[in-house]
Amino acid sequence: MLRYILRRIVLLIPVLVGVAFCVFLLLYLTPGDPAKMVLGDQATETAIQEFREREGLNDPFWIRFGTYLYKIVVKGDLGRSYASRTPVMKELLAAFPATLKLAGFAIFIAVLIGIPCGIVSAIKQYSLFDTVTMIFAMIGLSMPVFWLGLLLILFFSVRLRWLPSSGFSTFKAMILPSVALSAQSISMITRMTRSSMLEVIRADYIRTVRAKGQTERVVIWGHALHNALIPVVTLCGLQFGHLLSGALLTESIFAIPGVGRVMLTSIMARDYPMVQGAVLCVSAAFSVVNLLVDILYAFIDPRIKAQYKR
């Protein structure tokens, strides 16, 4: 197990280097001069050239990318923001807890609702509950996050005045953005749980368990659910990583000071160091979540644990 974990950690390095290269290349090819964006339209040509020289924007692409990687690997330095002149790492460390909390609440809601609904839908296949659940699951998958967020604000904040429309500092303020962000995840987890449970409860060993006289509760909770959880755990891990990286619109709509909002502001301002740092931060978090999901497999499926011991 330890050897597998170490191997996966080592494999994270080329992944993050590849992400850094892709982001660096895309920003390099993006039209617009960051010097003019930061200094403004009234800046003189001399000031613009001084800025470009100071930030290394006049250097060739490979020198700029090599210098950027060197600072990250050797010094742990993601650079300084063009706009605020503060270290990128400092701003990301201040913004990441809000994004992590938002994604954590969203995946908690998705798991809390999605797994039970999927289980009941599989047990009562083609019932009214199953039909209604699948209809709502399709609606949740089809509904854009920004549109759902605006509807929630309009109904619960403007009309009913039950919940605040912005912020993330209190429990009430967390409800609307978490629900808006979790809608698609709820639908996907519900459908995956239902599909996995239907496949498992039709397996031969489940018929054998029933033939031995076990109650339906024991069959479902003691045998079927345990084996049906593997693809669901995979999906939950992927969804959590997706929520970390996809919270940009939700944070913007609900004015949450997270990494997504910082990233959006930085993209608009051509703040290259901040954009690169934010993408690397989210990519690293996504990779770590996938690693944790793979390790969790061993505790769910003994067959996978046996493979790790080889």
Side-chain angles (χ1 to χ4, degrees), residues 133-273:
T133 300
M134 289 301 101
I135 290 174
F136 276 103
M138 289 300 298
I139 293 174
L141 285 173
S142 307
M143 190 177 299
V145 175
F146 67 89
W147 186 67
L148 177 59
L150 292 175
L151 287 181
L152 292 175
I153 292 175
L154 178 63
F155 188 73
F156 290 101
S157 297
V158 178
R159 296 275 181 89
L160 299 178
R161 300 183 182 276
W162 287 355
L163 300 170
S165 60
S166 61
F168 206 65
S169 57
T170 63
F171 179 75
K172 279 190 173 183
M174 297 183 211
I175 295 176
L176 290 185
S178 299
V179 171
L181 188 61
S182 66
Q184 291 187 352
S185 297
I186 293 173
S187 302
M188 295 184 70
I189 291 174
T190 300
R191 290 168 61 86
M192 176 60 74
T193 304
R194 178 182 182 272
S195 176
S196 182
M197 280 294 295
L198 285 174
E199 182 178 352
V200 170
I201 61 179
R202 292 168 179 169
D204 292 338
Y205 74 92
I206 294 295
R207 285 196 292 268
T208 303
V209 172
R210 286 196 175 106
K212 289 182 177 180
Q214 295 289 348
T215 63
E216 194 66 17
R217 181 186 297 272
V218 173
V219 171
I220 297 299
W221 299 101
H223 298 274
L225 180 61
H226 184 77
N227 293 292
L229 275 180
I230 295 179
V232 178
V233 170
T234 306
L235 180 62
C236 290
L238 293 175
Q239 282 300 301
F240 183 61
H242 172 72
L243 294 176
L244 283 173
S245 59
L248 187 148
L249 291 176
T250 306
E251 291 178 356
S252 301
I253 292 171
F254 292 95
I256 299 173
V259 175
R261 192 180 181 191
V262 170
M263 191 186 304
L264 181 62
T265 305
S266 302
I267 291 173
M268 300 299 293
R270 297 292 194 277
D271 193 345
Y272 290 177

Side-chain angles (χ1 to χ4, degrees), residues 51-67:
F51 180 90
R52 292 182 60 84
E53 190 66 31
R54 184 176 68 250
E55 300 297 335
L57 297 176
N58 292 326
D59 296 334
F61 172 79
W62 290 109
I63 294 179
R64 289 171 56 185
F65 181 67
T67 303

Side-chain angles (χ1 to χ4, degrees), residues 2-15 286-295 308:
L2 181 60
R3 184 184 302 174
Y4 172 79
I5 295 174
L6 292 175
R7 185 167 65 248
R8 286 300 307 271
I9 292 175
V10 171
L11 289 176
L12 291 181
I13 297 175
V15 171
F286 189 90
S287 300
V288 170
V289 168
N290 284 338
L291 174 62
L292 295 177
V293 170
D294 287 344
I295 296 172
Y308 290 161

Side-chain angles (χ1 to χ4, degrees), residues 35-36 39-51:
K36 293 181 180 180
L39 299 178
D41 296 333
Q42 304 301 322
T44 63
E45 189 64 29
T46 302
I48 292 175
Q49 290 303 321
E50 288 179 354
F51 180 90

